Amino acid sequence: MSVKKNISPLTTIAFDADDTLWENEQFFRLTQDRFAALLADHSDPDHLGERLLAAERRNLGHYGFGVKGFVLSMIETAIEVTEQRVPAAVIAELIAMGQEMLAHPIHLLDGADAITRALAKDYHLLLITKGDLLDQERKLAQSGLGDRFDGVEIVSDKTPRVYADLFARRGLDPARTLMLGNSMKSDVVAPIDAGAWGVFVPHGTPWALEVAQAPTHHPRFRHIDSLRDLPLVLDEISTAQSR
């Protein structure tokens, strides 16, 4: 993959991790399907899904993002829909499913290896991800991409304030920083609100709590279909800024 020499004002490219560089959400959805099957005698899948999402939403402040919070929310939902009669065997199965998720091999997405290798030659690369610290460190180590990044930030959430504080702490100019990922809310809207560029690269069906309206008319918003399209965006920004 060829990437033009960095002549744009952009100096830093920040990547999301889950569902941007490697698969993640599909494993949550597969586990949720198994959860629905386990509780089929107590709740239909749609209603159970609504109850689980409600539990995840109210538990974010307690458990944060990631597999562990997801498992605890499934257990809480199981207790609720069974009116505290959920069998211990079901709880054990939910814990086992979470352990499987935490041990699942990494599957890199198309273009992740090539684009990070190419951009590392000319840009300061960051990985900015949220979730459980140990799980994110495990996935990064298994991905083989760790040495491509000049810095790794595992944060509890991705809000404009978090990005602004991160940029300030690292001495980065937000206007010369680009963040990309598959979450419109966390990887695009939030960094744009913090003064950076935001590039949306969709993958699969987004988690309901990560959905947001695309800032279509914002001058620092871009949408690409694949990581392999990122060099085109960088060239376009470079050309526009050099006029």
Side-chain angles (χ1 to χ4, degrees):
M1 177 179 293
S2 175
V3 177
K4 183 180 290 187
K5 184 70 176 178
N6 180 14
I7 60 174
S8 81
L10 295 174
T11 57
T12 300
I13 310 296
F15 288 81
D16 171 50
D18 293 336
D19 293 308
T20 298
L21 297 176
W22 51 70
E23 292 281 4
N24 182 65
E25 181 63 21
Q26 69 165 332
F27 304 126
F28 281 82
R29 294 189 177 276
L30 289 171
T31 300
Q32 188 167 333
D33 289 343
R34 293 171 62 187
F35 175 55
L38 281 173
L39 276 297
D41 292 338
H42 302 275
S43 178
D44 67 84
D46 290 340
H47 178 65
L48 186 67
E50 293 173 358
R51 297 287 292 270
L52 176 58
L53 183 62
E56 290 180 283
R57 180 180 284 111
R58 65 175 177 263
N59 285 335
L60 279 178
H62 300 294
Y63 309 139
F65 296 85
V67 173
K68 295 176 184 177
F70 176 60
V71 171
L72 288 170
S73 292
M74 284 196 297
I75 291 173
E76 182 178 315
T77 303
I79 292 171
E80 290 176 352
V81 300
T82 62
E83 298 180 342
Q84 301 186 7
R85 294 193 300 270
V86 59
V90 171
I91 300 296
E93 180 65 19
L94 295 177
I95 293 172
M97 289 191 294
Q99 292 171 339
E100 288 178 22
M101 294 176 71
L102 290 170
H104 204 285
I106 292 301
H107 298 303
L108 290 180
L109 296 180
D110 180 52
D113 179 58
I115 194 65
T116 52
R117 179 186 294 112
L119 293 179
K121 300 173 184 176
D122 298 308
Y123 292 89
H124 182 79
L125 297 191
L126 291 180
L127 184 74
I128 304 177
T129 184
K130 62 186 178 183
D132 179 76
L133 176 64
L134 293 178
D135 190 33
Q136 295 299 78
E137 288 180 337
R138 173 191 69 84
K139 288 188 283 190
L140 179 59
Q142 291 186 6
S143 73
L145 304 179
D147 62 354
R148 312 280 171 81
F149 296 99
D150 299 290
V152 175
E153 296 280 352
I154 301 175
V155 297
S156 59
D157 201 356
K158 291 179 178 178
T159 65
R161 173 57 65 87
V162 168
Y163 279 108
D165 290 347
L166 188 157
F167 296 153
R169 176 163 44 81
R170 287 187 167 270
L172 301 176
D173 180 356
R176 305 186 73 185
T177 301
L178 182 149
M179 175 72 192
L180 75 153
N182 72 300
S183 168
M184 188 67 72
K185 177 182 178 181
S186 294
D187 304 323
V188 179
V189 174
I192 286 177
D193 287 345
W197 296 74
V199 176
F200 180 57
V201 52
H203 178 70
T205 302
W207 185 33
L209 300 185
E210 291 293 338
V211 174
Q213 185 69 34
T216 308
H217 301 295
H218 198 287
R220 295 195 308 275
F221 169 70
R222 298 294 187 275
H223 180 137
I224 58 178
D225 295 323
S226 166
L227 286 174
R228 295 185 181 277
D229 297 331
L230 182 57
L232 299 176
V233 167
L234 299 178
D235 286 349
E236 180 265 319
I237 293 173
S238 173
T239 300
Q241 294 293 325
S242 63
R243 289 174 182 169

